[in-house]
Structures are given as C-alpha cells and as structure tokens.
Amino acid sequence: MDVAAVTNVVVAAISVLTVVVSAFFALRQLRLSQSANHTLVAIELLTRDRMSDAFLDSQQFVLTELGTACPRGVPVSELPADARKHVNRIALYYNGLGQMLAFKVVEPALLLGTGGYRAREAWAVLEPYILAERAARGESYLSNFEHLAVLATETPWPVAVRGLGLRRFGHYPAEVGPVVGRTGGPAATPVPVRQAARPEE
C-alpha cells in the first residue's frame, strides 16, 4: 500500500471519528438541556402551587378535616363539591410529581426531599377515597400519586439526601453570629435556634 493510500485511510478515519465525537457531544448537550428544562418545571411545581393560599387551604382540609367531614371509602367523584375540590387539588398535585418521578425527568432526591413527607401524609388520608374511586374507574386512577407515596415511604428524607453532603452545626443551640477573626468585628451573642422543622415542609 503506497503512502497516498495510507494517507487517505487515515484522513477518512479521522473524519469519521470527528463526526462520531461531534454527534456524541451534541446528544449530550441536548440531554443536559432537556434535564435543565425538566428541573425548571419541577421547581415551578414545587414552589408556585404549594405556596399558594388555595393549596395550603386544601392541604389543611385534607389533612385535618376530610376524615371527619366525609365518610372513608366514598369515591372521590361522589364527595361534596367543596371537599372534592380540595381533594383534587392535593391529589393531582402529588400525582404530577409522581409522574415526573415515573418518567425520570427530575432527580428523585429533589422531589422526595421537598415533598415526600407531605405526600405520605396526604396518601394516608386519601387512600380509602382513591381506592373507592378506582373500583369504579380503574387501577390507573392517581397511580403516579401512589408511586410517589411508595417511594417516599421506601426512601425517607435522611436516605434521599444522604449523598448531598448537607452540613450541620457541631452543637445546639447553634452560634449563628459572625465568626471572630474573619470579619474583624466582635462576635455576636449566640442566638438560640429552635429545633428545625422537617426539611420538606
């Protein structure tokens, strides 16, 4: 094989390799972009809806009043209109989060860490109403909500965030004032810190 033929083979191989590498990085960039978009959607759901007065009112009703206001085992569709509105708002919210988990469009720790505890609480109350509705509508009704509740039960908050490297104070009550020697100013009087609320609330 002469030098020209070898050169042509090498050039062709380099060209093919360049195309493959370019395609690989293009696909990787596309996936990263899609992941970023999905994360933005998740953050929007986690912050906008659950911080609204309407959502908080519905959550309060479901967790503290539904069980006494409506007999357990009544299908969701047969609840009184006001109760059904609250139940649907909460159930569909957590069903949406469960759907994102099922399709693997967002990091599970993000959803389980921020909504897992409340999802378990809501499912514990709503389960008999959901099961009664499934008897009429089929097993797929709110199945993503159940998926979220199951994962939140199997992967509680400490497990979900174990790999995140969250920092903790060395002792309590924590000293949260300026650190002496870093700012040049006097140390602040230590401020007693109440026991922290559950991170996902």
Side-chain angles (χ1 to χ4, degrees), residues 46-57:
L46 289 168
T47 55
R48 182 195 63 192
D49 291 341
R50 69 179 288 177
M51 297 306 294
S52 68
D53 289 339
F55 183 88
L56 294 175
D57 288 344

Side-chain angles (χ1 to χ4, degrees), residues 56-70 86 90 118 121-122 125-126 129:
L56 294 175
D57 288 344
S58 294
Q59 180 174 260
Q60 178 73 12
F61 176 83
V62 166
L63 296 181
T64 65
E65 302 174 37
L66 177 64
T68 56
C70 304
H86 291 305
I90 298 301
R118 288 299 187 195
E121 279 197 324
V125 174
L126 294 175
Y129 306 95

Side-chain angles (χ1 to χ4, degrees), residues 36-48 93 97 100 105-107 110-111 114:
N37 291 335
H38 293 148
T39 301
L40 290 175
V41 171
I43 292 173
E44 177 73 6
L45 280 171
L46 289 168
T47 55
R48 182 195 63 192
Y93 171 78
L97 298 189
M100 286 193 289
V105 298
V106 70
E107 175 61 40
L110 175 64
L111 296 185
T114 55

Side-chain angles (χ1 to χ4, degrees), residues 52 54-55 58 84-94:
S52 68
F55 183 88
S58 294
R84 187 170 65 250
K85 174 189 67 178
H86 291 305
V87 168
N88 282 330
R89 180 175 289 132
I90 298 301
L92 292 176
Y93 171 78
Y94 288 117

Side-chain angles (χ1 to χ4, degrees), residues 1-16:
M1 185 178 291
D2 58 23
V3 174
V6 172
T7 301
N8 290 336
V9 170
V10 171
V11 170
I14 292 175
S15 298
V16 170

Side-chain angles (χ1 to χ4, degrees), residues 92-164:
L92 292 176
Y93 171 78
Y94 288 117
N95 197 64
L97 298 189
Q99 190 170 30
M100 286 193 289
L101 279 177
F103 284 94
K104 298 179 175 61
V105 298
V106 70
E107 175 61 40
L110 175 64
L111 296 185
L112 295 175
T114 55
Y117 173 72
R118 288 299 187 195
R120 295 197 310 270
E121 279 197 324
W123 178 264
V125 174
L126 294 175
E127 181 183 67
Y129 306 95
I130 292 172
L131 295 182
E133 187 69 22
R134 283 181 180 178
R137 294 176 55 174
E139 290 297 314
S140 62
Y141 177 69
L142 294 178
S143 58
N144 291 301
F145 178 13
E146 183 173 9
H147 176 64
L148 171 63
V150 169
L151 289 182
T153 301
E154 294 176 346
T155 313
W157 168 253
V159 176
V161 299
R162 186 173 293 160
L164 299 183

